[in-house]
Amino acid sequence: MTNVPADLRYAKSHEWIRVAGDVATVGITDHAQHELTDVVFVELPATGRNLKAGESCAVVESVKTASDIYSPVSGTVTEVNPAVVANPALVNTEPYAGGWFYKIKLSTPAEAGALLSPEQYTAQVAG
Amino acid sequence: MPVLPSELRRPRLPDWLRTPLPTSDTFSRTRSLLDELKLHTVCESAKCPNHWECWSKGTATFMIAGDRCTRACGFCAVATAKPLALKADEPLRVAEAASRMRLRHVVITAVARDDLADGGAAHFRETIENVRRLSPGIVIEVLTPDFNGRDDAIEMVLAARPNIFNHNLETIRRLTPEVRHRATYDRSLSVLRKVKERTTGSLHTKSGMMLGLGETEPEVLEAMRDLRAAGCDILTLGQYLQPTLRHLPVKEFITPGQFVRYARAAQGMGFIHVASGPLVRSSYHADEFSAPPAA
């Protein structure tokens, strides 16, 4: 059974966010890392970059596939995770913890509410 | 600046090889159905990059005779291990899946079963017969191992009258010994030739190669000519991708433009259908060439 933490919001395209005040941390879900299999490379956006919700902002690469990652929310990238760049396997082992991608200062906080709830995301991936 | 561990220093995939993560309900439903019927797919076992796209469209390539292969080809992620006994109900489960997925064109492949006297040919035949029984009119494409070139095994599969017989050449002559395991270039051509000789136009033959293993353009064109001389009708060409770090490395990423040039050359040689592109695989969009069912 895939892990879908109750305190996060989810995009249909398999990104998650954790909101603290007006900053969100972004990563990809356990379901996504499972589909990708072993991640060997993560390319992250530059800090300071402005993103719109739905804009492609990162790339996750496994041996046979490279997939674009889309920012679930709009805002400015404040921090990226150097640990996941150095050790891409964290995406597989800790998708919700050490495998986080970037933090973003929200320009439109209401967007977070429009994302999928844990129940809705679980329904999407359960089939 | 953090330093990547050495085993991760491999070339980045070019941006024409991006595939989006699957988001459709159809993907999840296809996965559930395959899990329910306990079916193997080459999609998952070989880590196909098109896996999400095809399952999201409700299609999959079934892999019969287990997921343990008796060979160890350097390009393939399917496990090499002592196989388990054939499951007698597998042909019916494949047929049920094809029926519930409402497939009009089904591709059935198998691992090599050198441990079996018939190489798995009877199991292929039963699968074809069951699929046709539950889905009359369906176009059946088989992607077979070489059966060690044995006529009786090939004839057993042909007796079930598949519509398209695919056996992959995989690579050019020079690279075959290092890329494939136990299979030979000439035996694969011979399998295709024998199939053509034994069928009277009611069946199309198909073959494919992975590019980017170090072949030169003249060598690829020569292999294409060899396939045409063996009567091969349909050709697929795709980019070799390294399934795990223990498999053959990618020597070159062939550009989309070069794939187009190869396709044009193939059409000039008389292949009736060519699929040529970085993500093309033997059964990718196989239903784009769907022959009428055998009489």
Short mmCIF file of all heavy atoms in Angstrom, two decimals, chain B residues 110-166:
data_model
loop_
_atom_site.label_atom_id
_atom_site.label_comp_id
_atom_site.label_asym_id
_atom_site.label_seq_id
_atom_site.Cartn_x
_atom_site.Cartn_y
_atom_site.Cartn_z
N ALA B 110 7.35 -13.70 -24.31
CA ALA B 110 7.71 -14.69 -23.30
C ALA B 110 9.18 -14.59 -22.99
O ALA B 110 9.96 -14.08 -23.79
CB ALA B 110 7.38 -16.10 -23.81
N VAL B 111 9.55 -15.10 -21.84
CA VAL B 111 10.97 -15.26 -21.52
C VAL B 111 11.47 -16.45 -22.31
O VAL B 111 10.69 -17.27 -22.78
CB VAL B 111 11.16 -15.51 -20.01
CG1 VAL B 111 10.81 -14.26 -19.21
CG2 VAL B 111 10.35 -16.71 -19.52
N ALA B 112 12.78 -16.58 -22.46
CA ALA B 112 13.36 -17.77 -23.08
C ALA B 112 13.22 -18.91 -22.07
O ALA B 112 13.43 -18.72 -20.87
CB ALA B 112 14.82 -17.55 -23.45
N ARG B 113 12.81 -20.07 -22.54
CA ARG B 113 12.65 -21.23 -21.65
C ARG B 113 13.47 -22.38 -22.22
O ARG B 113 12.95 -23.39 -22.70
CB ARG B 113 11.17 -21.63 -21.53
CG ARG B 113 10.31 -20.64 -20.76
CD ARG B 113 10.74 -20.47 -19.30
NE ARG B 113 10.74 -21.72 -18.58
CZ ARG B 113 9.82 -22.07 -17.68
NH1 ARG B 113 8.84 -21.22 -17.37
NH2 ARG B 113 9.89 -23.22 -17.06
N ASP B 114 14.80 -22.22 -22.18
CA ASP B 114 15.67 -23.27 -22.69
C ASP B 114 15.59 -24.53 -21.84
O ASP B 114 16.10 -25.58 -22.23
CB ASP B 114 17.12 -22.75 -22.75
CG ASP B 114 17.27 -21.57 -23.70
OD1 ASP B 114 16.84 -21.69 -24.86
OD2 ASP B 114 17.79 -20.53 -23.28
N ASP B 115 14.96 -24.43 -20.67
CA ASP B 115 14.81 -25.60 -19.79
C ASP B 115 13.70 -26.52 -20.27
O ASP B 115 13.61 -27.67 -19.84
CB ASP B 115 14.49 -25.12 -18.37
CG ASP B 115 13.20 -24.31 -18.30
OD1 ASP B 115 13.05 -23.37 -19.11
OD2 ASP B 115 12.34 -24.60 -17.45
N LEU B 116 12.83 -26.04 -21.16
CA LEU B 116 11.72 -26.85 -21.65
C LEU B 116 12.06 -27.44 -23.01
O LEU B 116 12.68 -26.78 -23.84
CB LEU B 116 10.45 -25.99 -21.79
CG LEU B 116 9.92 -25.34 -20.51
CD1 LEU B 116 8.78 -24.38 -20.85
CD2 LEU B 116 9.47 -26.39 -19.51
N ALA B 117 11.63 -28.66 -23.24
CA ALA B 117 11.95 -29.34 -24.50
C ALA B 117 11.45 -28.55 -25.70
O ALA B 117 12.13 -28.47 -26.73
CB ALA B 117 11.35 -30.74 -24.50
N ASP B 118 10.27 -27.95 -25.57
CA ASP B 118 9.73 -27.20 -26.71
C ASP B 118 10.00 -25.70 -26.60
O ASP B 118 9.48 -24.92 -27.38
CB ASP B 118 8.22 -27.45 -26.87
CG ASP B 118 7.40 -26.81 -25.76
OD1 ASP B 118 8.00 -26.30 -24.78
OD2 ASP B 118 6.17 -26.79 -25.88
N GLY B 119 10.80 -25.32 -25.63
CA GLY B 119 11.14 -23.91 -25.46
C GLY B 119 9.95 -23.03 -25.07
O GLY B 119 10.03 -21.82 -25.12
N GLY B 120 8.84 -23.66 -24.69
CA GLY B 120 7.64 -22.88 -24.32
C GLY B 120 6.66 -22.72 -25.47
O GLY B 120 5.66 -22.01 -25.35
N ALA B 121 6.92 -23.38 -26.61
CA ALA B 121 6.07 -23.19 -27.80
C ALA B 121 4.62 -23.62 -27.57
O ALA B 121 3.68 -22.95 -28.01
CB ALA B 121 6.65 -23.94 -29.00
N ALA B 122 4.42 -24.74 -26.87
CA ALA B 122 3.04 -25.20 -26.63
C ALA B 122 2.28 -24.21 -25.76
O ALA B 122 1.10 -23.95 -25.96
CB ALA B 122 3.05 -26.58 -25.97
N HIS B 123 2.96 -23.63 -24.82
CA HIS B 123 2.35 -22.63 -23.93
C HIS B 123 1.95 -21.39 -24.73
O HIS B 123 0.89 -20.81 -24.52
CB HIS B 123 3.36 -22.27 -22.83
CG HIS B 123 2.77 -21.61 -21.63
ND1 HIS B 123 1.92 -22.24 -20.75
CD2 HIS B 123 2.92 -20.35 -21.14
CE1 HIS B 123 1.59 -21.41 -19.78
NE2 HIS B 123 2.17 -20.25 -20.00
N PHE B 124 2.79 -21.01 -25.69
CA PHE B 124 2.46 -19.90 -26.59
C PHE B 124 1.20 -20.25 -27.37
O PHE B 124 0.27 -19.46 -27.47
CB PHE B 124 3.60 -19.68 -27.61
CG PHE B 124 4.34 -18.39 -27.43
CD1 PHE B 124 5.68 -18.38 -27.05
CD2 PHE B 124 3.71 -17.17 -27.66
CE1 PHE B 124 6.37 -17.19 -26.90
CE2 PHE B 124 4.41 -15.96 -27.51
CZ PHE B 124 5.75 -15.98 -27.13
N ARG B 125 1.19 -21.48 -27.92
CA ARG B 125 0.05 -21.88 -28.74
C ARG B 125 -1.23 -21.82 -27.91
O ARG B 125 -2.25 -21.29 -28.36
CB ARG B 125 0.26 -23.28 -29.30
CG ARG B 125 -0.86 -23.73 -30.25
CD ARG B 125 -0.73 -25.20 -30.61
NE ARG B 125 -0.75 -26.02 -29.40
CZ ARG B 125 -0.33 -27.27 -29.34
NH1 ARG B 125 0.15 -27.87 -30.41
NH2 ARG B 125 -0.37 -27.94 -28.21
N GLU B 126 -1.20 -22.36 -26.70
CA GLU B 126 -2.41 -22.36 -25.86
C GLU B 126 -2.85 -20.95 -25.53
O GLU B 126 -4.04 -20.66 -25.45
CB GLU B 126 -2.15 -23.09 -24.55
CG GLU B 126 -2.43 -24.58 -24.65
CD GLU B 126 -1.68 -25.35 -23.61
OE1 GLU B 126 -1.77 -24.97 -22.43
OE2 GLU B 126 -0.97 -26.31 -23.99
N THR B 127 -1.88 -20.07 -25.32
CA THR B 127 -2.23 -18.68 -25.00
C THR B 127 -2.93 -18.04 -26.19
O THR B 127 -3.97 -17.39 -26.04
CB THR B 127 -0.98 -17.89 -24.60
OG1 THR B 127 -0.32 -18.56 -23.53
CG2 THR B 127 -1.33 -16.49 -24.14
N ILE B 128 -2.35 -18.22 -27.38
CA ILE B 128 -2.97 -17.65 -28.59
C ILE B 128 -4.40 -18.18 -28.74
O ILE B 128 -5.35 -17.42 -28.99
CB ILE B 128 -2.15 -17.99 -29.85
CG1 ILE B 128 -0.76 -17.36 -29.76
CG2 ILE B 128 -2.87 -17.51 -31.11
CD1 ILE B 128 0.22 -17.91 -30.80
N GLU B 129 -4.56 -19.50 -28.58
CA GLU B 129 -5.89 -20.11 -28.77
C GLU B 129 -6.90 -19.58 -27.76
O GLU B 129 -8.04 -19.29 -28.10
CB GLU B 129 -5.78 -21.65 -28.68
CG GLU B 129 -5.10 -22.25 -29.91
CD GLU B 129 -4.70 -23.72 -29.74
OE1 GLU B 129 -4.81 -24.25 -28.62
OE2 GLU B 129 -4.27 -24.32 -30.75
N ASN B 130 -6.48 -19.47 -26.50
CA ASN B 130 -7.39 -18.95 -25.48
C ASN B 130 -7.77 -17.50 -25.73
O ASN B 130 -8.94 -17.11 -25.58
CB ASN B 130 -6.76 -19.08 -24.09
CG ASN B 130 -7.01 -20.42 -23.45
OD1 ASN B 130 -8.04 -20.61 -22.81
ND2 ASN B 130 -6.12 -21.37 -23.65
N VAL B 131 -6.79 -16.69 -26.12
CA VAL B 131 -7.07 -15.28 -26.38
C VAL B 131 -8.08 -15.15 -27.50
O VAL B 131 -9.06 -14.39 -27.41
CB VAL B 131 -5.77 -14.51 -26.73
CG1 VAL B 131 -6.09 -13.12 -27.30
CG2 VAL B 131 -4.88 -14.37 -25.51
N ARG B 132 -7.89 -15.93 -28.57
CA ARG B 132 -8.78 -15.82 -29.71
C ARG B 132 -10.18 -16.31 -29.35
O ARG B 132 -11.18 -15.79 -29.84
CB ARG B 132 -8.23 -16.58 -30.91
CG ARG B 132 -8.93 -16.16 -32.20
CD ARG B 132 -8.20 -16.59 -33.45
NE ARG B 132 -7.21 -15.62 -33.89
CZ ARG B 132 -5.94 -15.92 -34.17
NH1 ARG B 132 -5.50 -17.15 -34.05
NH2 ARG B 132 -5.11 -14.98 -34.57
N ARG B 133 -10.24 -17.30 -28.47
CA ARG B 133 -11.55 -17.84 -28.08
C ARG B 133 -12.34 -16.79 -27.31
O ARG B 133 -13.54 -16.61 -27.55
CB ARG B 133 -11.34 -19.09 -27.21
CG ARG B 133 -12.60 -19.90 -26.93
CD ARG B 133 -12.23 -21.28 -26.36
NE ARG B 133 -11.34 -21.18 -25.21
CZ ARG B 133 -11.72 -20.89 -23.98
NH1 ARG B 133 -12.97 -20.66 -23.71
NH2 ARG B 133 -10.83 -20.82 -23.00
N LEU B 134 -11.70 -16.06 -26.42
CA LEU B 134 -12.42 -15.06 -25.63
C LEU B 134 -12.58 -13.73 -26.37
O LEU B 134 -13.43 -12.91 -26.01
CB LEU B 134 -11.73 -14.80 -24.29
CG LEU B 134 -11.69 -15.95 -23.28
CD1 LEU B 134 -11.36 -15.41 -21.90
CD2 LEU B 134 -13.00 -16.68 -23.22
N SER B 135 -11.76 -13.48 -27.37
CA SER B 135 -11.83 -12.22 -28.13
C SER B 135 -11.75 -12.53 -29.61
O SER B 135 -10.73 -12.29 -30.26
CB SER B 135 -10.67 -11.29 -27.76
OG SER B 135 -10.62 -11.04 -26.38
N PRO B 136 -12.85 -13.06 -30.18
CA PRO B 136 -12.81 -13.40 -31.61
C PRO B 136 -12.52 -12.15 -32.43
O PRO B 136 -12.98 -11.06 -32.10
CB PRO B 136 -14.24 -13.90 -31.90
CG PRO B 136 -14.86 -14.16 -30.57
CD PRO B 136 -14.17 -13.30 -29.57
N GLY B 137 -11.72 -12.29 -33.45
CA GLY B 137 -11.43 -11.15 -34.31
C GLY B 137 -10.25 -10.31 -33.83
O GLY B 137 -9.81 -9.40 -34.52
N ILE B 138 -9.74 -10.62 -32.64
CA ILE B 138 -8.60 -9.84 -32.13
C ILE B 138 -7.37 -10.12 -32.98
O ILE B 138 -7.19 -11.22 -33.47
CB ILE B 138 -8.36 -10.17 -30.64
CG1 ILE B 138 -7.43 -9.15 -29.99
CG2 ILE B 138 -7.78 -11.58 -30.46
CD1 ILE B 138 -7.32 -9.31 -28.46
N VAL B 139 -6.53 -9.11 -33.17
CA VAL B 139 -5.28 -9.30 -33.89
C VAL B 139 -4.24 -9.74 -32.86
O VAL B 139 -4.07 -9.08 -31.83
CB VAL B 139 -4.83 -8.01 -34.58
CG1 VAL B 139 -3.43 -8.16 -35.18
CG2 VAL B 139 -5.83 -7.63 -35.67
N ILE B 140 -3.60 -10.87 -33.12
CA ILE B 140 -2.64 -11.41 -32.16
C ILE B 140 -1.22 -11.30 -32.71
O ILE B 140 -0.91 -11.83 -33.78
CB ILE B 140 -2.97 -12.88 -31.82
CG1 ILE B 140 -4.35 -12.93 -31.17
CG2 ILE B 140 -1.90 -13.46 -30.89
CD1 ILE B 140 -4.82 -14.33 -30.83
N GLU B 141 -0.39 -10.60 -31.97
CA GLU B 141 1.00 -10.42 -32.33
C GLU B 141 1.83 -11.15 -31.28
O GLU B 141 1.62 -10.95 -30.08
CB GLU B 141 1.33 -8.92 -32.34
CG GLU B 141 2.75 -8.60 -32.72
CD GLU B 141 2.98 -7.09 -32.91
OE1 GLU B 141 2.06 -6.39 -33.37
OE2 GLU B 141 4.09 -6.64 -32.59
N VAL B 142 2.73 -12.00 -31.72
CA VAL B 142 3.60 -12.69 -30.76
C VAL B 142 5.03 -12.21 -30.95
O VAL B 142 5.46 -11.94 -32.06
CB VAL B 142 3.53 -14.23 -30.90
CG1 VAL B 142 2.16 -14.74 -30.52
CG2 VAL B 142 3.93 -14.71 -32.28
N LEU B 143 5.71 -12.07 -29.84
CA LEU B 143 7.12 -11.66 -29.84
C LEU B 143 7.86 -12.80 -29.16
O LEU B 143 7.75 -12.99 -27.95
CB LEU B 143 7.28 -10.35 -29.07
CG LEU B 143 8.71 -9.88 -28.76
CD1 LEU B 143 9.55 -9.74 -30.01
CD2 LEU B 143 8.64 -8.53 -28.02
N THR B 144 8.57 -13.60 -29.97
CA THR B 144 9.07 -14.86 -29.44
C THR B 144 10.58 -14.88 -29.26
O THR B 144 11.32 -14.15 -29.92
CB THR B 144 8.71 -16.04 -30.37
OG1 THR B 144 9.54 -15.96 -31.55
CG2 THR B 144 7.26 -16.01 -30.79
N PRO B 145 11.02 -15.77 -28.37
CA PRO B 145 12.45 -16.07 -28.33
C PRO B 145 12.81 -16.89 -29.57
O PRO B 145 11.96 -17.14 -30.42
CB PRO B 145 12.60 -16.90 -27.05
CG PRO B 145 11.23 -17.39 -26.72
CD PRO B 145 10.24 -16.53 -27.41
N ASP B 146 14.07 -17.33 -29.70
CA ASP B 146 14.45 -18.02 -30.93
C ASP B 146 14.16 -19.52 -30.93
O ASP B 146 14.35 -20.18 -31.94
CB ASP B 146 15.93 -17.75 -31.28
CG ASP B 146 16.92 -18.33 -30.26
OD1 ASP B 146 16.50 -19.15 -29.40
OD2 ASP B 146 18.10 -17.98 -30.32
N PHE B 147 13.66 -20.04 -29.80
CA PHE B 147 13.37 -21.48 -29.70
C PHE B 147 14.57 -22.30 -30.18
O PHE B 147 14.41 -23.40 -30.70
CB PHE B 147 12.13 -21.87 -30.54
CG PHE B 147 10.86 -21.22 -30.07
CD1 PHE B 147 10.14 -20.40 -30.93
CD2 PHE B 147 10.38 -21.43 -28.79
CE1 PHE B 147 8.96 -19.79 -30.50
CE2 PHE B 147 9.19 -20.83 -28.36
CZ PHE B 147 8.49 -20.00 -29.22
N ASN B 148 15.76 -21.73 -30.04
CA ASN B 148 16.98 -22.38 -30.52
C ASN B 148 16.87 -22.77 -32.00
O ASN B 148 17.51 -23.70 -32.46
CB ASN B 148 17.34 -23.59 -29.66
CG ASN B 148 17.84 -23.14 -28.29
OD1 ASN B 148 18.83 -22.42 -28.19
ND2 ASN B 148 17.11 -23.49 -27.25
N GLY B 149 16.04 -22.05 -32.73
CA GLY B 149 15.89 -22.30 -34.16
C GLY B 149 15.11 -23.56 -34.51
O GLY B 149 15.01 -23.93 -35.67
N ARG B 150 14.51 -24.22 -33.51
CA ARG B 150 13.87 -25.51 -33.76
C ARG B 150 12.59 -25.37 -34.56
O ARG B 150 11.66 -24.68 -34.15
CB ARG B 150 13.59 -26.22 -32.45
CG ARG B 150 14.87 -26.66 -31.76
CD ARG B 150 14.52 -27.37 -30.50
NE ARG B 150 13.52 -28.41 -30.78
CZ ARG B 150 13.35 -29.45 -30.02
NH1 ARG B 150 14.11 -29.61 -28.95
NH2 ARG B 150 12.41 -30.34 -30.30
N ASP B 151 12.55 -26.12 -35.69
CA ASP B 151 11.39 -26.07 -36.59
C ASP B 151 10.11 -26.49 -35.87
O ASP B 151 9.05 -25.87 -36.08
CB ASP B 151 11.60 -27.02 -37.78
CG ASP B 151 12.70 -26.53 -38.71
OD1 ASP B 151 13.28 -25.47 -38.43
OD2 ASP B 151 12.95 -27.20 -39.73
N ASP B 152 10.17 -27.55 -35.06
CA ASP B 152 8.93 -28.04 -34.45
C ASP B 152 8.32 -27.01 -33.50
O ASP B 152 7.10 -26.85 -33.44
CB ASP B 152 9.13 -29.39 -33.75
CG ASP B 152 10.31 -29.40 -32.79
OD1 ASP B 152 11.03 -28.39 -32.71
OD2 ASP B 152 10.51 -30.42 -32.11
N ALA B 153 9.18 -26.29 -32.80
CA ALA B 153 8.68 -25.26 -31.88
C ALA B 153 8.06 -24.10 -32.66
O ALA B 153 6.97 -23.62 -32.35
CB ALA B 153 9.81 -24.76 -30.97
N ILE B 154 8.77 -23.66 -33.69
CA ILE B 154 8.26 -22.56 -34.52
C ILE B 154 6.93 -22.96 -35.13
O ILE B 154 5.95 -22.20 -35.12
CB ILE B 154 9.28 -22.19 -35.62
CG1 ILE B 154 10.55 -21.62 -34.99
CG2 ILE B 154 8.68 -21.19 -36.61
CD1 ILE B 154 11.73 -21.51 -35.95
N GLU B 155 6.87 -24.19 -35.66
CA GLU B 155 5.62 -24.65 -36.31
C GLU B 155 4.48 -24.74 -35.32
O GLU B 155 3.32 -24.50 -35.67
CB GLU B 155 5.86 -25.99 -37.01
CG GLU B 155 6.61 -25.81 -38.33
CD GLU B 155 7.31 -27.08 -38.81
OE1 GLU B 155 7.04 -28.16 -38.24
OE2 GLU B 155 8.11 -26.98 -39.76
N MET B 156 4.78 -25.08 -34.06
CA MET B 156 3.72 -25.17 -33.06
C MET B 156 3.09 -23.80 -32.82
O MET B 156 1.87 -23.68 -32.72
CB MET B 156 4.28 -25.73 -31.75
CG MET B 156 3.19 -26.29 -30.87
SD MET B 156 3.78 -27.00 -29.33
CE MET B 156 5.00 -28.16 -29.87
N VAL B 157 3.91 -22.78 -32.76
CA VAL B 157 3.36 -21.42 -32.58
C VAL B 157 2.58 -21.02 -33.82
O VAL B 157 1.48 -20.47 -33.73
CB VAL B 157 4.50 -20.40 -32.30
CG1 VAL B 157 3.95 -18.98 -32.24
CG2 VAL B 157 5.21 -20.74 -30.99
N LEU B 158 3.12 -21.32 -35.00
CA LEU B 158 2.43 -20.94 -36.25
C LEU B 158 1.10 -21.67 -36.40
O LEU B 158 0.16 -21.13 -36.98
CB LEU B 158 3.33 -21.24 -37.45
CG LEU B 158 4.59 -20.38 -37.57
CD1 LEU B 158 5.41 -20.80 -38.78
CD2 LEU B 158 4.24 -18.90 -37.66
N ALA B 159 1.00 -22.88 -35.85
CA ALA B 159 -0.24 -23.65 -35.96
C ALA B 159 -1.41 -22.92 -35.31
O ALA B 159 -2.56 -23.10 -35.69
CB ALA B 159 -0.06 -25.03 -35.32
N ALA B 160 -1.13 -22.07 -34.33
CA ALA B 160 -2.19 -21.31 -33.66
C ALA B 160 -2.56 -20.07 -34.45
O ALA B 160 -3.44 -19.31 -34.05
CB ALA B 160 -1.75 -20.93 -32.25
N ARG B 161 -1.89 -19.85 -35.56
CA ARG B 161 -2.17 -18.75 -36.49
C ARG B 161 -2.16 -17.35 -35.87
O ARG B 161 -3.17 -16.63 -35.92
CB ARG B 161 -3.45 -19.00 -37.28
CG ARG B 161 -3.21 -20.10 -38.33
CD ARG B 161 -4.43 -20.44 -39.16
NE ARG B 161 -5.45 -21.11 -38.38
CZ ARG B 161 -6.70 -20.69 -38.26
NH1 ARG B 161 -7.11 -19.59 -38.87
NH2 ARG B 161 -7.54 -21.36 -37.51
N PRO B 162 -1.02 -16.95 -35.30
CA PRO B 162 -0.91 -15.54 -34.91
C PRO B 162 -0.92 -14.68 -36.17
O PRO B 162 -0.63 -15.17 -37.26
CB PRO B 162 0.47 -15.47 -34.24
CG PRO B 162 1.24 -16.61 -34.84
CD PRO B 162 0.24 -17.69 -35.13
N ASN B 163 -1.28 -13.41 -36.03
CA ASN B 163 -1.34 -12.52 -37.19
C ASN B 163 0.00 -11.89 -37.51
O ASN B 163 0.30 -11.59 -38.66
CB ASN B 163 -2.36 -11.42 -36.95
CG ASN B 163 -3.72 -11.99 -36.66
OD1 ASN B 163 -4.15 -12.02 -35.51
ND2 ASN B 163 -4.41 -12.48 -37.67
N ILE B 164 0.77 -11.65 -36.46
CA ILE B 164 2.08 -11.01 -36.64
C ILE B 164 3.08 -11.78 -35.81
O ILE B 164 2.83 -12.07 -34.63
CB ILE B 164 2.04 -9.52 -36.21
CG1 ILE B 164 1.05 -8.76 -37.09
CG2 ILE B 164 3.44 -8.89 -36.28
CD1 ILE B 164 0.78 -7.33 -36.63
N PHE B 165 4.20 -12.15 -36.44
CA PHE B 165 5.24 -12.91 -35.75
C PHE B 165 6.46 -12.03 -35.65
O PHE B 165 7.11 -11.73 -36.65
CB PHE B 165 5.56 -14.19 -36.54
CG PHE B 165 6.43 -15.15 -35.79
CD1 PHE B 165 5.90 -16.34 -35.28
CD2 PHE B 165 7.80 -14.90 -35.59
CE1 PHE B 165 6.69 -17.24 -34.60
CE2 PHE B 165 8.59 -15.80 -34.89
CZ PHE B 165 8.04 -16.98 -34.40
N ASN B 166 6.76 -11.60 -34.43
CA ASN B 166 7.87 -10.70 -34.18
C ASN B 166 8.98 -11.49 -33.51
O ASN B 166 8.75 -12.17 -32.51
CB ASN B 166 7.39 -9.55 -33.28
CG ASN B 166 8.44 -8.46 -33.04
OD1 ASN B 166 9.60 -8.60 -33.35
ND2 ASN B 166 7.99 -7.35 -32.49
#
